[in-house]
Amino acid sequence: MTGSPKNSAYAEAGVDIDAQDRALDRVKELARSTHTPGVLTEIGSFGGLFLPDLTGLREPVLVASADGVGTKLMVARMAGDYSGVGRDLVNHCVNDILVQGARPLFFLDYVGAGVLEPAAMAELVSGVAVGCRENGCALLGGETAEMPGFYQPGDYELVGFVVGLVDRPAILDGRRIRPGQVLIGLPSSGLHTNGYSLVRRIVFDRLGLEPETAAPWGGGTVASELLTPHRSYLAALQSLLADPVLTGLAHITGGGLTDNLPRILPAGCRAEVDLGAWRVPEIFRFLQRAGEVAWEEMLQVFNLGIGMVVVAEDESVMATLEAAGEAPIRLGKILEGPPGVAYRGDFGDS
């Protein structure tokens, strides 16, 4: 039996295999644009094959991570713009393995939908492909799931999985962090991919703003500001990974500085952060005022303008980061004490 019925039972149940095939053809093109020398298979195989280059590594260790973009997808849906969330996803995952000293090898994605729209699907995966190319990793495979009745029409789920490589002696696991070392912050590009449930409640539910409204905190429209891509810090930090002055990295995601810095601190070490060391971007100040959110909670929900924290033996890393085009911020230092974050000062206008 050849071909498929004009009105198949599966299509009547809400799953359009032809639409999936059209979307997959575009995905194959996008994935091919990210291929690196290690890729041995095309999209469509049951599993993706990758041959890593282990030259110069004494004890190669694979580092893997999975994440999503949360309800930032709902903002993308409201704006009708899915072009950037795939890039968000890749950058978030790359940062999560970067903090352990790993460089990315390949990436896998999962796209779930109630009703698959090939154009939206292509836009989502196009963003993933852009992120992969920018980070030098291959989009090796993934999964597209059309599940009517589970996801509602217009709903999308986007999840990513990254695998990277690090030499075991070069793993950043916090063991070399000591009292007296310095904390250096790298600026975020905005909200990144965290806190959007609270943001939507303030911006859309409480204030009644629309995606196309001019953002009251400045910049572009509400949509363009909220959909600003999550930064990748790979380019800024990869030259520093081999420098023994570097002792730790913390990606400031959900949980903010309050919850993410302690994740890398060994016993007997405590982070002290000077709240007056940087100017909190206006978008966060606006959300704090409009939502009547305590600064203590803001520090635990948002990055507040600091997307990555570098722990180093001394301030010599500042010059390296500046040479990489960064604007590093001297945040504070490591003290003796139980793992946690101690804040001093307050958020001024400097």
Side-chain angles (χ1 to χ4, degrees), residues 128-159:
V128 173
V130 169
C132 285
R133 289 195 299 270
E134 290 176 343
N135 287 283
C137 63
L139 178 55
L140 194 60
E143 167 69 358
T144 303
E146 190 173 19
M147 297 190 290
F150 186 82
Y151 297 110
Q152 298 307 306
D155 284 349
Y156 285 92
E157 177 67 281
L158 183 63
V159 181

Side-chain angles (χ1 to χ4, degrees), residues 117-130:
E117 301 171 23
M121 166 74 173
E123 200 171 15
L124 283 166
V125 180
S126 178
V128 173
V130 169

Side-chain angles (χ1 to χ4, degrees), residues 217-233:
W217 55 86
T221 64
V222 168
S224 67
E225 289 289 301
L226 298 187
L227 294 176
T228 300
H230 192 132
R231 280 195 64 190
S232 167
Y233 294 93

